[in-house]
Structures are given as C-alpha cells and as structure tokens.
C-alpha cells in the first residue's frame, strides 16, 4: 500500500470512528480526558502500522488496540503505585531524587513489558534466578521439573526478552 493510500485510510478511520472510540473508552474508563487521550494514542498506534488494508472490522480493530493500551496504562499505574508505596518504607535520607525515581520507574515498566509476554512458569523460573539468585537445581525443586527443563525455561525467557528489546528499539 502506498503512503498516500495509507494516510487516506487512517484519515477515513479517524473521521468515521474517532467519536465512537472516544465514547466507548469513556464508558470503560469513566474519565472523558483519559478517554480522549487513549483514543488519540490508539490512532497514533495506527500511524505506526505498516499495512491497514486488511482491516475488515474497523471498530473491533480499534477497540482491540485501545483495550491493549488501556491495560498497559493500568499496569503502568499499578507499577508506579507499588514503587511509590515501597518508597514510603525507605528512610527519608535514602529516598532517591525525582530524576532517579523516574528512571527506576521507566526501567520497571520496561521489565514488566519484557516479562509480561512470558508464560507464568517460565517467568517464575526467570525471576527466581534473577531476583532470588536460586540455582537451576533449587528452581527445579521448587517448580517440580528437571534442571534441564529449568535451563530451557531460562533460555526461552532470555530469548523473549531480547526479542522484546529489539522490537521496542531498546537495543
């Protein structure tokens, strides 16, 4: 599809469905401003897509993108709240600067994005290795699998994280 055709298709989708999408999001979120922002983010996501010619059900397609963005936003909000709650237990002299807090939060969000797509058993094995420092044998005993299986889980987790980093342009 040529660039002009792609632009025309996005313009038509925006004109035909933006108000519907914003109303749909407003019902989901109960927040008109958040709904407007998320609707715009949805169309921004469309701009980054390469080929939109195969869209058969525009509203379903837009709702799917918007739902994914909404879930991501909720996850980011939950992470931020958990991080700020954890900082409440830090001595006042140890509280990081606003810049450091922002960097840590961005790192946590990236880690969450990387680990989010993994099956639970693989993610758990990877976190046991990285956060708890457990050996493959200890992980295998906890999960009730062989050490060879743990090695497979860790390999899959590392490959998944690498691919997410590449897709997101973090490498």
């Amino acid at each position: 599809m040529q660039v002009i055709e792609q632009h025309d298709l996005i313009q038509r989708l925006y004109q035909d469905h933006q108000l519907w999408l914003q109303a749909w999001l407003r019902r989901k979120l109960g927040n008109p401003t958040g709904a407007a922002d998320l609707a715009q983010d949805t169309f921004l996501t469309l701009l980054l897509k390469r080929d939109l010619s195969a869209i058969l059900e525009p509203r379903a397609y837009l709702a799917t993108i918007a739902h994914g963005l909404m879930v991501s936003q909720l996850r980011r909000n939950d992470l931020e709240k958990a991080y700020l709650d954890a900082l409440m237990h830090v001595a006042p002299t140890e509280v990081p600067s606003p810049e450091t807090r922002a960097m840590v939060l961005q790192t946590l969000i990236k880690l969450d994005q990387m680990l989010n797509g993994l099956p639970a058993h693989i993610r758990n094995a990877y976190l046991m290795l990285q956060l708890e420092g457990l050996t493959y044998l200890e992980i295998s005993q906890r999960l009730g699998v062989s050490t060879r299986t743990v090695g497979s889980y860790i390999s899959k987790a590392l490959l998944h994280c690498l691919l997410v980093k590449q897709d997101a342009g973090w490498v």
Side-chain angles (χ1 to χ4, degrees):
M1 177 180 281
Q2 293 182 354
V3 174
I4 293 177
E5 291 173 9
Q6 182 88 344
H7 179 267
D8 290 343
L9 180 57
I10 291 172
Q11 184 176 0
R12 196 167 55 246
L13 285 169
Y14 187 87
Q15 289 170 344
D16 294 349
H17 302 289
Q18 190 272 341
L19 291 175
W20 168 84
L21 180 61
Q22 195 167 333
W24 182 80
L25 287 166
R26 193 170 35 252
R27 285 191 305 276
K28 295 278 186 195
L29 297 172
N31 174 353
T33 304
D37 289 345
L38 205 50
Q40 294 305 320
D41 289 347
T42 300
F43 284 99
L44 180 61
T45 300
L46 276 184
L47 286 170
L48 301 175
K49 302 282 183 193
R50 294 195 187 273
D51 184 15
L52 301 175
S53 63
I55 298 174
L56 300 176
E57 298 289 335
R59 288 188 175 184
Y61 189 77
L62 291 168
T64 300
I65 292 172
H67 182 265
L69 292 172
M70 187 170 41
V71 168
S72 293
Q73 180 63 45
L74 291 172
R75 289 178 66 88
R76 280 192 302 274
N77 291 347
D78 288 348
L79 270 172
E80 184 172 9
K81 183 182 179 316
Y83 178 59
L84 294 175
D85 287 348
L87 287 178
M88 301 274 292
H89 302 289
V90 173
T93 57
E94 298 296 320
V95 173
S97 69
E99 295 84 9
T100 300
R101 286 194 308 245
M103 287 182 355
V104 168
L105 189 58
Q106 283 300 99
T107 301
L108 287 171
I109 289 168
K110 285 180 180 181
L111 287 171
D112 180 63
Q113 289 171 342
M114 286 173 39
L115 298 176
N116 185 38
L118 288 170
H121 61 284
I122 294 175
R123 182 177 54 247
N124 290 340
Y126 184 71
L127 290 174
M128 286 179 206
L129 177 74
Q130 296 297 325
L131 299 180
E132 298 179 46
L134 299 181
T135 65
Y136 282 24
L137 178 60
E138 292 167 327
I139 295 168
S140 72
Q141 291 168 345
R142 277 203 194 172
L143 297 179
V145 297
S146 70
T147 54
R148 183 179 179 121
T149 299
V150 170
S152 173
Y153 289 173
I154 301 303
S155 294
K156 288 177 182 176
L158 290 170
L159 179 60
H160 173 81
C161 290
L162 179 62
L163 292 174
V164 169
K165 283 176 65 173
Q166 285 178 339
D167 287 346
W170 297 337
V171 180

